Amino acid sequence: PLYAHRLGLSLFEIGVLMTLNQVVAMALKPGMGWVADRIGLKRSFTVSILVRSFIALCLVVAKLPWQLYSIKSIHGASKALRDPAANALIAEQGGKKAIASAFAWYHTAKIVAGSMGKAIAGILLTLTVSNFSFVFNIAFILSLLPLYSVIRYVKPDRSKASTRDDLSQVSRTES
């Protein structure tokens, strides 16, 4: 919102801008859930992290209001892909006796990270005399950190593995 204000957006336009990503996310979630089911949960989650990181780099070069609206729309699309994939991965890999705990930890971590990110951005903007490009570049780097954990620790989708097993079984019985 501060960057949008600096670019000359009115309070009304900033309000629309800040709501846009959520509206896009809600509109796209059913379709993105279908996409995640088709291409795989881990792959969808990974792509959503990459897109979310790319958004911070886009903000570095955004100079016009329409660019901010486009970036926030892409952000909404990445959220629409991330949420169904993340929730399905948690349900699949959270363990039968710890699913509720796994969801609680995920949502707690997401809220804490979001709050800390906003606080750190405010501190960095204060220290750098409102150098938004610097803050957006730091956001890009930090938003890539979860990518390592997803690639390293998230197991391949059970649903995809079972589909491959089913297909290989069918082909063996047909031979």
Side-chain angles (χ1 to χ4, degrees), residues 6 9-10 12 15-16 25 37-38 40 49 66 70-71 94 103 106 113 128 137 139 154:
R6 176 180 271 181
L9 273 70
S10 69
F12 174 77
V16 170
D37 287 337
R38 298 305 170 275
I49 292 169
W66 72 265
S70 298
I71 291 166
F103 273 104
Y106 169 72
T128 63
N137 280 305
V154 174

Side-chain angles (χ1 to χ4, degrees), residues 59-143:
L59 288 169
V60 171
V61 296
K63 302 293 181 222
L64 301 170
W66 72 265
Q67 294 169 330
L68 292 181
Y69 286 107
S70 298
I71 291 166
K72 284 304 242 179
S73 296
I74 295 167
H75 182 219
S78 75
K79 285 173 71 171
L81 184 60
R82 178 199 65 204
D83 291 347
N87 290 332
L89 282 167
I90 292 168
E92 254 189 17
Q93 299 181 17
K96 288 184 181 182
K97 294 183 179 180
I99 289 176
S101 180
F103 273 104
W105 278 110
Y106 169 72
H107 287 285
T108 299
K110 194 167 81 167
I111 290 168
V112 167
S115 298
M116 285 179 56
K118 291 171 186 165
I120 291 169
I123 292 166
L124 288 174
L125 285 171
T126 301
L127 294 174
T128 63
V129 192
S130 297
N131 184 345
F132 286 95
S133 293
F134 176 76
V135 173
F136 295 147
N137 280 305
I138 295 296
F140 167 71
I141 293 165
L142 293 176
S143 67

Side-chain angles (χ1 to χ4, degrees), residues 43-66:
R43 183 179 295 161
S44 298
F45 195 54
T46 302
V47 167
S48 71
I49 292 169
L50 287 170
V51 171
R52 174 61 185 96
S53 298
F54 177 67
I55 287 165
L57 284 183
C58 289
L59 288 169
V60 171
V61 296
K63 302 293 181 222
L64 301 170
W66 72 265

Side-chain angles (χ1 to χ4, degrees), residues 15-27:
V16 170
L17 179 69
M18 299 314 297
T19 305
L20 184 60
N21 69 333
Q22 198 64 24
V23 169
V24 170
M26 288 185 333

